[in-house]
Amino acid sequence: MTITSPHLGSSEAWTDAKLLFALEEVVEKELNRHLKVTKDWMPHEYVPWSDGRNFPGFFEDGEAWDPQQSKVTDIGKIALVVNLLTEDNLPSYHHEIATLFGRNGAWGTWVHRWTAEEGRHGIVMRDYLLASRAVDPDKLEAFRMQHMSEGFESDNRHSMLHSVAYVAFQELATRISHRNTGHQSGDPVCDRMLARIAQDENLHMVFYRNLLGAAFELAPDLTMQAVRDVVVNFRMPGHGMPGFERMAAQMAIGGVYNLRIHHDDVLSPVIRFLKIMDIDGLGPEGRQAQEELGLFMNGLDSEARKFDERLAARAARLAARKA
């Protein structure tokens, strides 16, 4: 794929390969910064192993799973399954970014480091769910097999800039989803575990956000168009799992992740930090993309306001019934 920018002062065409090379130094700088501030942690230290016992099957003394065995709330269970199955697709995610960003140099080092850190998330969440018996283990495994067998293909694999823009927002979205799941879980142990995962996701977001900022300096028009496209068409990486829309709707009502959260806590912070709406000196295509981004954000805010009103009305009805 070849893309061009009117702000380079020449007729040189940008390819993904040239963009990757041009940003290599920034990737190395951000990787070094990341390695200085990140802290390794042990997944097994966050799992309540003393709550665990054998399941039936191989062990004759195994105790069958029962939904009453866990203190986790219903919305917490739904969100935990969605979050875990999203993390489970790490092999596909690694394939996508390794193919796009490469396996050599600073890019390759980051790809492998990111994959290793993300691997902890699925490990600790599954161990927690099994030890605490929060969900049916048989159904969870069947769900995992079905979801992973379908694989994952990024909506933005056609463009390096689109991919960087996407992960800058998606890593923050994942952080928020994990953090709110912990808050809504009803279990302090779960909340602590997900808070630790959220710290990783935040550092990953910072890496990609800073890289996106560097891309704006390098190719502002192209980057603005990529951000507009990603924001307008944003989907969470777990969108392909069976029943995702139903579970996402329940998570929205339960306050884990909804339009208001998406607008206020995911899109707006990145846009505001990079001062995307204040960037000037853009060419016609860049200005159009910036304007369309602003219009979309205003529309999303209006939609979020309507959702908030419906949610408040629903809460009032439920309160009236209880009264």
Side-chain angles (χ1 to χ4, degrees):
M1 176 184 178
T2 299
I3 45 184
T4 58
S5 171
H7 287 281
L8 298 176
S10 73
S11 59
E12 177 186 12
W14 279 108
T15 64
D16 279 358
K18 290 180 179 179
L19 285 166
L20 288 167
F21 179 78
L23 288 168
E24 177 91 16
E25 186 175 339
V26 179
V27 172
E28 182 176 5
K29 174 185 175 182
E30 288 303 316
L31 172 62
N32 290 334
R33 181 198 54 76
H34 176 82
L35 294 175
K36 287 181 180 179
V37 299
T38 191
K39 295 181 180 179
D40 281 338
W41 55 281
M42 303 299 126
H44 57 268
E45 295 180 356
Y46 287 79
V47 179
W49 298 108
S50 60
D51 292 346
R53 53 255 197 218
N54 294 338
F55 287 101
F58 179 82
F59 296 99
E60 295 182 358
D61 64 342
E63 179 182 350
W65 177 82
D66 184 275
Q68 302 303 316
Q69 293 169 342
S70 171
K71 66 180 72 173
V72 175
T73 62
D74 289 341
I75 186 59
K77 293 175 181 177
I78 292 170
L80 279 164
V81 169
V82 170
N83 291 355
L84 172 57
L85 291 179
T86 299
E87 299 286 357
D88 270 335
N89 250 345
L90 180 61
S92 284
Y93 307 149
H94 174 84
H95 173 76
E96 290 284 311
I97 65 173
T99 300
L100 186 65
F101 297 153
R103 299 168 58 89
N104 300 313
W107 281 104
T109 302
W110 166 255
V111 166
H112 295 306
R113 175 71 193 194
W114 175 88
T115 301
E117 292 183 4
E118 288 285 341
R120 291 178 174 138
H121 304 168
I123 291 171
V124 71
M125 290 177 67
R126 175 167 285 99
D127 287 346
Y128 167 80
L129 289 176
L130 295 179
S132 67
R133 294 188 168 230
V135 299
D136 185 333
D138 294 340
K139 289 184 178 179
L140 180 65
E141 176 59 12
F143 207 179
R144 185 190 71 85
M145 286 295 296
Q146 181 180 3
H147 181 45
M148 290 193 67
S149 294
E150 295 177 359
F152 172 82
E153 184 173 294
S154 171
D155 295 332
N156 302 286
R157 65 187 320 191
H158 64 287
S159 161
M160 174 267 184
L161 282 178
H162 282 72
S163 296
V164 170
Y166 175 74
V167 289
F169 293 105
Q170 178 266 317
E171 292 284 4
L172 183 52
T174 304
R175 171 191 179 272
I176 295 297
S177 181
H178 283 311
R179 201 67 191 93
N180 288 344
T181 297
H183 293 330
Q184 301 290 347
S185 69
D187 181 8
V189 174
C190 180
D191 191 26
R192 183 187 67 168
M193 171 192 67
L194 292 176
R196 188 59 191 81
I197 292 175
Q199 290 180 40
D200 280 358
E201 304 290 8
N202 194 63
L203 289 178
H204 296 166
M205 179 276 294
V206 170
F207 177 95
Y208 286 119
R209 184 193 65 190
N210 292 351
L211 188 58
L212 183 62
F216 266 113
E217 295 181 6
L218 180 69
D221 287 319
L222 302 178
T223 307
M224 186 67 73
Q225 292 170 67
V227 168
R228 175 209 50 202
D229 294 344
V230 163
V231 169
V232 171
N233 300 295
F234 185 89
R235 297 195 297 176
M236 291 293 276
H239 64 81
M241 70 179 64
F244 177 78
E245 291 185 0
R246 175 180 54 81
M247 291 185 289
Q250 292 171 309
M251 291 169 65
I253 294 173
V256 174
Y257 200 96
N258 54 42
L259 286 177
R260 174 53 61 201
I261 293 170
H262 184 58
H263 178 278
D264 290 0
D265 300 335
V266 176
L267 299 181
S268 293
V270 175
I271 292 173
R272 184 168 54 248
F273 182 88
L274 295 177
K275 298 180 173 58
I276 292 176
M277 302 311 300
D278 298 326
I279 294 175
D280 56 15
L282 297 167
E285 293 182 343
R287 287 197 301 271
Q288 180 180 349
Q290 187 180 49
E291 291 171 2
E292 290 174 351
L293 176 62
L295 290 172
F296 177 83
M297 289 297 292
N298 290 336
L300 183 63
D301 185 45
S302 297
E303 289 298 315
R305 190 176 304 110
K306 294 176 184 177
F307 175 83
D308 292 341
E309 293 171 355
R310 292 195 297 270
L311 204 61
R314 180 180 183 275
R317 289 195 301 270
L318 292 176
R321 291 173 186 173
K322 291 181 180 181

